[in-house]
Amino acid sequence: MKIGVFIDNSNLFQEIKSLCGSVKIDYNLLKQFIDLDLKSLYRTDFLISYNVYASERKVGETPQMNFYKKIEYLGFNVKIFELTEKHIGVFSENGVVDIALAIDMALGAALNHYDIGVLVAGDGGYSYLADIIKGYGKIFNVIFSKNSLSDGLR
């Protein structure tokens, strides 16, 4: 069985920040948690691909890029998109992370890259994506905080 895990980094970051006040995501621990959660749910052997979608003010050799290199070393496929400056000092993602994640997840389902799609995000904008994944006959799961999970993803 193949499982594709798709992580909206900014969604996860904001959720942890709202719950804990500060943010330090241990991706190794996150990966272990997801592995254990999926093993307890499906009780079978599987291959998991981990995909992280992130946005940064500037893509290049910055301390944040070193962080992403470290999580790539842990086995995550990282896709980074540059934020656009809307006004002086005000940056916006313009939904590019959401769109890229949705396209990759839907395409992966269509091409049979996975049997189970796991979304790590709670944004209601992904509700339609859940329907698309299920339409391809795939199992769709969400791992996120109960309190911030949109009704469309429940």
Side-chain angles (χ1 to χ4, degrees), residues 71-132:
I71 64 173
E72 281 179 333
Y73 181 76
L74 294 173
F76 291 85
N77 175 31
V78 179
K79 293 188 178 181
I80 305 165
F81 301 91
E82 198 161 306
L83 294 168
T84 55
E85 192 167 13
K86 291 289 194 182
H87 308 287
I88 297 173
V90 178
F91 291 85
S92 172
E93 187 179 274
N94 286 334
V96 71
V97 167
D98 298 9
I99 292 167
L101 187 153
I103 288 170
D104 286 355
M105 195 168 191
L107 192 57
L111 296 173
N112 288 316
H113 288 174
Y114 60 84
D115 304 300
I116 300 168
V118 178
L119 175 67
V120 180
D123 187 342
Y126 290 118
S127 299
Y128 182 59
L129 176 63
D131 295 334
I132 291 170

Side-chain angles (χ1 to χ4, degrees), residues 19-64:
L19 291 172
C20 303
S22 64
V23 181
K24 184 171 182 182
I25 301 171
D26 182 335
Y27 277 86
N28 194 34
L29 193 59
L30 177 65
K31 188 176 180 182
Q32 289 174 22
F33 169 78
I34 292 170
D35 285 351
L36 286 172
D37 192 43
L38 294 172
K39 284 178 184 173
S40 70
L41 270 174
Y42 297 107
R43 302 189 192 283
T44 186
D45 292 331
F46 46 78
L47 176 66
I48 303 177
S49 68
Y50 287 92
N51 305 280
V52 175
Y53 296 79
S55 56
E56 292 297 329
R57 286 186 182 183
K58 187 151 187 81
V59 176
E61 291 302 315
T62 65
Q64 197 62 19

